[in-house]
Amino acid sequence: MPEGKYSLDLSHASIIWKVSHFGLSNYVGRFADFDAIIDYKPSNIEKSSVTATINPLSVQTAYPNAEEKDFDKILGTDKVWFNGTMFPSIDFTSTSIAMTSDTTAVMQGELSFLGVTKPVSLDVVFNGAMPIQPFTRKPTLGFSATATIKRSDWGLTKYVPNVGDEVQIMIEGEFMKTDDE
C-alpha cells in the first residue's frame, strides 16, 4: 500500500460506545459525525499516526419516545453530559503505535474531552487493504479498534456508579488514500 495520508470513509465507519446501566444491561450509543486521518508509513508502521475528531452533538441513542423528550440532544448539549455547546469536539491524537503481531497493535494517544486531555490506549486490528477498492478506485485500508476508558477521568461523573464509570468504545473504519499528495 502506498505511503501517505488516508481519509476516513464515513459511510463505512462507526464509533459505538456502551456503558453499564445499573449492572442490568449495557446502554449503547454512537456518534454520527466524526473524522479521522491516518498518516501511513508502510516501511515502518510504528511511525504512522492517527488524528480524529468527534462532534459530541452527533450522539445517537435508541431512547424511546424521542418525540416527547429529545434525549440525544440533552446528552449532546447538557453540561453534565457531553456539553457539546461549550466543548464542540472530542479529539484524539496518537502518540505511539506498538505492533503486537502482523495485524494487531496497541495505539497510545491523547484524548481531549470536556476540556481535559488524558492518555488512552486502543487495541487495533488491521482488517485488510485493497490497492484499488472497487467502488472508489483508491487504495483503502480497514481497521477495527477498541478501548475502555473511565468517564470520570474527564469529569463526566453524572450517576456514577448507577451508570457505569467504565465506557467501552468500539471503532470501525475504512480509510482511502487522499489525492492531495
Side-chain angles (χ1 to χ4, degrees), residues 13-41:
S14 61
I15 299 176
I16 299 169
W17 50 268
K18 65 182 182 177
V19 62
S20 174
H21 186 256
F22 289 97
L24 301 172
S25 66
N26 288 306
Y27 193 78
V28 178
R30 66 180 295 136
F31 293 103
D33 182 16
F34 54 94
D35 198 12
I37 299 283
I38 296 174
D39 187 4
Y40 181 62
K41 309 284 188 202

Short mmCIF file of all heavy atoms in Angstrom, two decimals, residues 13-41:
data_model
loop_
_atom_site.label_atom_id
_atom_site.label_comp_id
_atom_site.label_asym_id
_atom_site.label_seq_id
_atom_site.Cartn_x
_atom_site.Cartn_y
_atom_site.Cartn_z
N ALA A 13 -17.82 3.57 8.45
CA ALA A 13 -17.15 3.80 9.73
C ALA A 13 -18.19 3.95 10.84
O ALA A 13 -19.34 4.33 10.58
CB ALA A 13 -16.29 5.06 9.66
N SER A 14 -17.79 3.65 12.05
CA SER A 14 -18.68 3.85 13.20
C SER A 14 -17.86 4.01 14.47
O SER A 14 -16.76 3.47 14.59
CB SER A 14 -19.65 2.67 13.35
OG SER A 14 -18.96 1.46 13.56
N ILE A 15 -18.43 4.78 15.39
CA ILE A 15 -17.92 4.87 16.75
C ILE A 15 -19.10 4.57 17.66
O ILE A 15 -20.07 5.34 17.71
CB ILE A 15 -17.33 6.26 17.08
CG1 ILE A 15 -16.16 6.58 16.16
CG2 ILE A 15 -16.90 6.31 18.55
CD1 ILE A 15 -15.59 7.97 16.35
N ILE A 16 -19.01 3.45 18.33
CA ILE A 16 -20.08 2.98 19.21
C ILE A 16 -19.52 2.88 20.63
O ILE A 16 -18.37 2.48 20.82
CB ILE A 16 -20.61 1.61 18.74
CG1 ILE A 16 -21.18 1.76 17.33
CG2 ILE A 16 -21.63 1.04 19.71
CD1 ILE A 16 -21.50 0.45 16.65
N TRP A 17 -20.33 3.26 21.59
CA TRP A 17 -19.90 3.15 22.98
C TRP A 17 -21.00 2.45 23.79
O TRP A 17 -22.16 2.47 23.42
CB TRP A 17 -19.57 4.51 23.60
CG TRP A 17 -20.63 5.56 23.40
CD1 TRP A 17 -20.70 6.47 22.39
CD2 TRP A 17 -21.78 5.81 24.23
NE1 TRP A 17 -21.81 7.27 22.53
CE2 TRP A 17 -22.49 6.88 23.65
CE3 TRP A 17 -22.28 5.22 25.39
CZ2 TRP A 17 -23.68 7.38 24.20
CZ3 TRP A 17 -23.44 5.73 25.93
CH2 TRP A 17 -24.13 6.80 25.35
N LYS A 18 -20.57 1.81 24.86
CA LYS A 18 -21.55 1.20 25.75
C LYS A 18 -21.10 1.36 27.19
O LYS A 18 -19.91 1.39 27.49
CB LYS A 18 -21.85 -0.25 25.39
CG LYS A 18 -20.73 -1.22 25.52
CD LYS A 18 -21.21 -2.60 25.08
CE LYS A 18 -20.13 -3.64 25.23
NZ LYS A 18 -20.59 -4.97 24.88
N VAL A 19 -22.11 1.48 28.04
CA VAL A 19 -21.87 1.73 29.46
C VAL A 19 -22.91 0.96 30.26
O VAL A 19 -24.07 0.82 29.84
CB VAL A 19 -21.91 3.25 29.77
CG1 VAL A 19 -23.25 3.86 29.46
CG2 VAL A 19 -21.47 3.55 31.18
N SER A 20 -22.52 0.44 31.40
CA SER A 20 -23.43 -0.34 32.24
C SER A 20 -24.57 0.54 32.76
O SER A 20 -24.36 1.70 33.15
CB SER A 20 -22.66 -0.92 33.43
OG SER A 20 -23.55 -1.56 34.32
N HIS A 21 -25.76 -0.01 32.77
CA HIS A 21 -26.93 0.67 33.33
C HIS A 21 -27.42 -0.15 34.53
O HIS A 21 -28.05 -1.20 34.36
CB HIS A 21 -28.04 0.80 32.28
CG HIS A 21 -29.19 1.60 32.74
ND1 HIS A 21 -30.38 1.03 33.13
CD2 HIS A 21 -29.34 2.94 32.89
CE1 HIS A 21 -31.22 1.98 33.49
NE2 HIS A 21 -30.61 3.15 33.35
N PHE A 22 -27.06 0.29 35.73
CA PHE A 22 -27.39 -0.38 36.99
C PHE A 22 -26.87 -1.81 37.06
O PHE A 22 -27.37 -2.62 37.83
CB PHE A 22 -28.91 -0.39 37.23
CG PHE A 22 -29.47 0.96 37.56
CD1 PHE A 22 -30.05 1.75 36.57
CD2 PHE A 22 -29.43 1.44 38.85
CE1 PHE A 22 -30.57 3.00 36.86
CE2 PHE A 22 -29.94 2.69 39.16
CZ PHE A 22 -30.51 3.48 38.17
N GLY A 23 -25.92 -2.17 36.23
CA GLY A 23 -25.42 -3.53 36.20
C GLY A 23 -26.39 -4.51 35.57
O GLY A 23 -26.15 -5.72 35.58
N LEU A 24 -27.48 -4.00 35.01
CA LEU A 24 -28.51 -4.86 34.43
C LEU A 24 -28.35 -5.05 32.93
O LEU A 24 -28.71 -6.09 32.38
CB LEU A 24 -29.90 -4.28 34.72
CG LEU A 24 -30.24 -4.11 36.20
CD1 LEU A 24 -31.56 -3.36 36.35
CD2 LEU A 24 -30.32 -5.48 36.87
N SER A 25 -27.87 -4.03 32.27
CA SER A 25 -27.68 -4.10 30.82
C SER A 25 -26.60 -3.09 30.45
O SER A 25 -26.17 -2.29 31.27
CB SER A 25 -28.97 -3.76 30.07
OG SER A 25 -29.33 -2.40 30.29
N ASN A 26 -26.18 -3.14 29.20
CA ASN A 26 -25.24 -2.16 28.68
C ASN A 26 -26.00 -1.23 27.75
O ASN A 26 -26.58 -1.68 26.77
CB ASN A 26 -24.09 -2.84 27.94
CG ASN A 26 -23.15 -3.52 28.90
OD1 ASN A 26 -22.65 -2.90 29.83
ND2 ASN A 26 -22.92 -4.80 28.70
N TYR A 27 -25.99 0.06 28.09
CA TYR A 27 -26.64 1.06 27.27
C TYR A 27 -25.70 1.41 26.12
O TYR A 27 -24.51 1.63 26.34
CB TYR A 27 -26.96 2.30 28.11
CG TYR A 27 -27.91 3.24 27.41
CD1 TYR A 27 -29.27 2.96 27.39
CD2 TYR A 27 -27.44 4.36 26.76
CE1 TYR A 27 -30.15 3.81 26.74
CE2 TYR A 27 -28.32 5.22 26.11
CZ TYR A 27 -29.67 4.93 26.10
OH TYR A 27 -30.55 5.75 25.45
N VAL A 28 -26.21 1.45 24.90
CA VAL A 28 -25.38 1.64 23.72
C VAL A 28 -25.73 2.95 23.03
O VAL A 28 -26.90 3.30 22.88
CB VAL A 28 -25.56 0.46 22.74
CG1 VAL A 28 -24.73 0.68 21.48
CG2 VAL A 28 -25.18 -0.85 23.41
N GLY A 29 -24.70 3.67 22.62
CA GLY A 29 -24.87 4.90 21.85
C GLY A 29 -23.82 4.96 20.76
O GLY A 29 -22.94 4.09 20.69
N ARG A 30 -23.92 5.96 19.93
CA ARG A 30 -22.96 6.13 18.84
C ARG A 30 -22.81 7.61 18.52
O ARG A 30 -23.62 8.42 18.96
CB ARG A 30 -23.39 5.36 17.60
CG ARG A 30 -24.67 5.90 16.98
CD ARG A 30 -25.12 5.14 15.73
NE ARG A 30 -24.17 5.31 14.67
CZ ARG A 30 -23.75 4.33 13.88
NH1 ARG A 30 -24.21 3.12 14.02
NH2 ARG A 30 -22.86 4.56 12.93
N PHE A 31 -21.78 7.92 17.77
CA PHE A 31 -21.61 9.25 17.21
C PHE A 31 -21.76 9.14 15.70
O PHE A 31 -21.25 8.21 15.08
CB PHE A 31 -20.23 9.83 17.56
CG PHE A 31 -20.07 10.11 19.02
CD1 PHE A 31 -19.33 9.25 19.83
CD2 PHE A 31 -20.67 11.21 19.61
CE1 PHE A 31 -19.18 9.50 21.18
CE2 PHE A 31 -20.53 11.48 20.95
CZ PHE A 31 -19.78 10.61 21.74
N ALA A 32 -22.47 10.10 15.10
CA ALA A 32 -22.73 10.06 13.66
C ALA A 32 -21.82 10.98 12.87
O ALA A 32 -21.69 10.82 11.66
CB ALA A 32 -24.19 10.42 13.39
N ASP A 33 -21.19 11.95 13.52
CA ASP A 33 -20.37 12.94 12.83
C ASP A 33 -18.96 12.91 13.42
O ASP A 33 -18.76 13.34 14.57
CB ASP A 33 -21.00 14.32 12.97
CG ASP A 33 -20.24 15.41 12.24
OD1 ASP A 33 -19.39 15.10 11.38
OD2 ASP A 33 -20.49 16.60 12.56
N PHE A 34 -18.02 12.39 12.65
CA PHE A 34 -16.62 12.32 13.10
C PHE A 34 -15.73 12.22 11.88
O PHE A 34 -16.20 11.97 10.75
CB PHE A 34 -16.40 11.14 14.05
CG PHE A 34 -16.85 9.81 13.51
CD1 PHE A 34 -15.95 8.96 12.87
CD2 PHE A 34 -18.16 9.39 13.65
CE1 PHE A 34 -16.36 7.74 12.38
CE2 PHE A 34 -18.58 8.16 13.16
CZ PHE A 34 -17.67 7.33 12.53
N ASP A 35 -14.45 12.43 12.10
CA ASP A 35 -13.49 12.36 11.00
C ASP A 35 -12.17 11.86 11.56
O ASP A 35 -11.90 11.99 12.76
CB ASP A 35 -13.32 13.73 10.35
CG ASP A 35 -12.68 13.64 8.97
OD1 ASP A 35 -12.59 12.53 8.41
OD2 ASP A 35 -12.28 14.69 8.45
N ALA A 36 -11.36 11.28 10.69
CA ALA A 36 -10.04 10.80 11.11
C ALA A 36 -9.12 10.79 9.89
O ALA A 36 -9.58 10.63 8.75
CB ALA A 36 -10.13 9.41 11.72
N ILE A 37 -7.84 10.93 10.15
CA ILE A 37 -6.80 10.89 9.12
C ILE A 37 -5.69 9.97 9.62
O ILE A 37 -5.27 10.07 10.79
CB ILE A 37 -6.19 12.29 8.86
CG1 ILE A 37 -7.25 13.28 8.39
CG2 ILE A 37 -5.02 12.21 7.89
CD1 ILE A 37 -7.66 13.14 6.97
N ILE A 38 -5.22 9.11 8.74
CA ILE A 38 -4.06 8.28 9.03
C ILE A 38 -2.91 8.79 8.17
O ILE A 38 -3.07 8.97 6.95
CB ILE A 38 -4.31 6.80 8.71
CG1 ILE A 38 -5.40 6.23 9.60
CG2 ILE A 38 -3.01 5.99 8.85
CD1 ILE A 38 -5.81 4.80 9.24
N ASP A 39 -1.76 9.03 8.78
CA ASP A 39 -0.53 9.29 8.04
C ASP A 39 0.22 7.96 8.05
O ASP A 39 0.87 7.61 9.02
CB ASP A 39 0.26 10.42 8.70
CG ASP A 39 1.46 10.83 7.86
OD1 ASP A 39 1.64 10.30 6.74
OD2 ASP A 39 2.23 11.68 8.33
N TYR A 40 0.08 7.23 6.96
CA TYR A 40 0.52 5.83 6.87
C TYR A 40 1.96 5.73 6.39
O TYR A 40 2.32 6.30 5.35
CB TYR A 40 -0.42 5.09 5.92
CG TYR A 40 -0.12 3.63 5.73
CD1 TYR A 40 -0.16 2.75 6.79
CD2 TYR A 40 0.19 3.14 4.47
CE1 TYR A 40 0.11 1.40 6.61
CE2 TYR A 40 0.44 1.79 4.27
CZ TYR A 40 0.42 0.93 5.35
OH TYR A 40 0.68 -0.40 5.15
N LYS A 41 2.77 5.00 7.16
CA LYS A 41 4.18 4.77 6.85
C LYS A 41 4.41 3.26 6.71
O LYS A 41 4.73 2.58 7.69
CB LYS A 41 5.08 5.32 7.96
CG LYS A 41 4.81 6.74 8.37
CD LYS A 41 5.33 7.71 7.36
CE LYS A 41 5.22 9.13 7.92
NZ LYS A 41 5.22 10.13 6.90
#
